[in-house]
Amino acid sequence: MTAAVAAEGLVRDFGVTRAVNDVSFSVQEGEMFGIVGPDGAGKTTLIRMLAGIMRPTSGRSLLFGNDPRETPEVMRNEVGYFSQKFSLYGDLTVEENIAFFAEIHGVRNHAERGEELLEFTRLAPFRRRLAEKLSGGMKQKLALVCAIIHKPRIIFLDEPTTGVDPLSRMDFWKILSSLLRTKITIIMSTPYMDEAERCGRIALMNRGELLAEDSPYNIRRRMGGEILEVVCDRPRVAKRFLESVPGIQDVQSFGDRLNISSENAEAARTAVSEAMGKAGLGITSMRVISPSLENVFISLMA
């Protein structure tokens, strides 16, 4: 079966800086695939190469087996692209933006499709509002409507919920879940690990490198040993102190909490209690938890 999207050894250099380094993976039709990592990981550059917007230094991307730069009709008819920055026209109304992008994609008689999407995204009451007057969440929904007005088979979403309030993020994800039922392929980048958990498969990236690619569940299973969560006084001091305790593999800091990796969480509990007591550091609570994607990501970067 031909993959909906394939990355084959993608590399992109900007002068002496390598933004993406030899990245390969494939995405099947109907999947939601997340490209996950911090700022500067190479997510936007990778998405632009996959969509055919940016030429790779080496390697290639394929959409349904076609090179999007050699077959521009594939880009126009099969692909929707959602930019990281709001790129619609602020001096046009919601309806006018939709009509404009429908015309670009050659959608005839777009009124019915536009109305359907306005209702679908709950933007219908704001159809005559200027785009620049919309809230952040509504701008993102309008951008999504314009990206799918022509019923693409693939949509690329570049950090679609960054800077959006939590309720709007939740609403946006409900819309994406509904879209998946239409068998559309969704490839999105995000810095948020909770959003990564919603994807069928993810690629973890840092500094242009692909660290891992699999389902969130399988990636979490890569974390060897067990995790002991410790809430304590002076966590920074405690972290430096606990890193030298025998039997502790790794100590990760999350605010006032420390996640301690070891082969045996109960043995680690005893060692931590004794060591913290001798150092005069108070412990508020300790419990064994399941490894999170954050735990795995940090361990892979080490």
Side-chain angles (χ1 to χ4, degrees):
M1 181 189 300
T2 301
V5 179
E8 298 182 350
L10 285 174
V11 173
R12 177 65 195 199
D13 296 330
F14 294 97
V16 297
T17 301
R18 177 151 291 184
V20 174
N21 185 33
D22 192 23
V23 170
S24 299
F25 57 78
S26 61
V27 181
Q28 299 303 313
E29 188 170 7
E31 272 196 283
M32 179 182 284
F33 188 88
I35 301 171
V36 187
D39 291 345
K43 304 186 300 295
T44 295
T45 301
L46 178 57
I47 275 195
R48 289 177 177 172
M49 288 192 291
L50 290 172
I53 295 169
M54 179 181 290
R55 185 181 298 277
T57 302
S58 62
R60 65 175 184 168
S61 66
L62 298 173
L63 305 181
F64 295 109
N66 299 303
D67 186 325
R69 296 187 64 86
E70 296 177 359
T71 54
E73 69 278 2
V74 172
M75 270 290 294
R76 188 181 59 158
N77 298 327
E78 308 281 15
V79 175
Y81 180 76
F82 182 115
S83 174
Q84 187 177 21
K85 296 180 180 178
F86 184 68
S87 57
L88 303 181
Y89 294 91
D91 57 346
L92 297 182
T93 67
V94 168
E95 280 186 325
E96 289 168 342
N97 268 286
I98 294 171
F100 177 76
F101 279 88
E103 185 174 342
I104 286 177
H105 288 289
V107 180
R108 297 181 179 178
N109 303 318
H110 62 80
E112 182 177 348
R113 170 69 171 166
E115 190 63 34
E116 173 188 313
L117 291 174
L118 283 172
E119 294 294 337
F120 176 59
T121 56
R122 297 193 293 187
L123 285 174
F126 310 99
R127 65 177 72 237
R128 293 183 177 81
R129 183 174 295 185
L130 293 178
E132 66 183 4
K133 301 296 184 182
L134 296 173
S135 68
M138 287 193 288
K139 284 180 179 178
Q140 299 299 73
K141 287 195 282 188
L142 174 57
L144 179 62
V145 168
C146 292
I148 62 175
I149 185 67
H150 58 302
K151 297 185 179 180
R153 296 171 68 189
I154 304 169
I155 53 173
F156 292 96
L157 309 175
D158 190 10
E159 297 195 14
T161 62
T162 298
V164 175
D165 67 87
L167 288 177
S168 293
R169 279 180 66 191
M170 187 182 303
D171 203 25
F172 196 89
W173 272 97
K174 288 179 181 177
I175 293 169
L176 293 185
S177 296
S178 297
L179 284 175
L180 277 178
R181 290 196 284 271
T182 69
K183 301 300 182 183
I184 196 170
T185 303
I186 300 174
I187 298 182
M188 66 171 295
S189 64
T190 179
Y192 303 123
M193 292 297 170
D194 63 319
E195 293 192 341
E197 293 279 5
R198 297 172 179 262
C199 298
R201 287 189 304 125
I202 59 174
L204 297 180
M205 289 189 68
N206 188 49
R207 296 182 179 179
E209 301 282 348
L210 181 62
L211 303 180
E213 181 259 307
D214 208 330
S215 69
Y217 174 77
N218 286 339
I219 287 178
R220 286 195 305 273
R221 291 184 63 189
R222 296 187 185 191
M223 190 78 182
E226 298 179 315
I227 303 292
L228 180 68
E229 181 188 77
V230 178
V231 181
C232 62
D233 301 332
R234 298 158 63 196
R236 291 184 182 179
V237 175
K239 180 179 186 296
R240 292 195 299 270
F241 182 73
L242 291 173
E243 285 173 336
S244 61
V245 173
I248 290 178
Q249 299 171 335
D250 185 35
V251 183
Q252 299 173 4
S253 179
F254 298 92
D256 66 341
R257 301 168 190 271
L258 299 176
N259 282 186
I260 298 169
S261 304
S262 67
E263 289 294 334
N264 186 302
E266 290 306 319
R269 185 194 296 268
T270 301
V272 168
S273 295
E274 293 177 354
M276 296 277 279
K278 289 178 182 178
L281 296 170
I283 296 175
T284 303
S285 66
M286 287 194 291
R287 61 173 183 153
V288 178
I289 62 172
S290 299
S292 67
L293 283 177
E294 286 96 336
N295 294 138
V296 180
F297 188 80
I298 293 171
S299 69
L300 289 172
M301 289 196 301

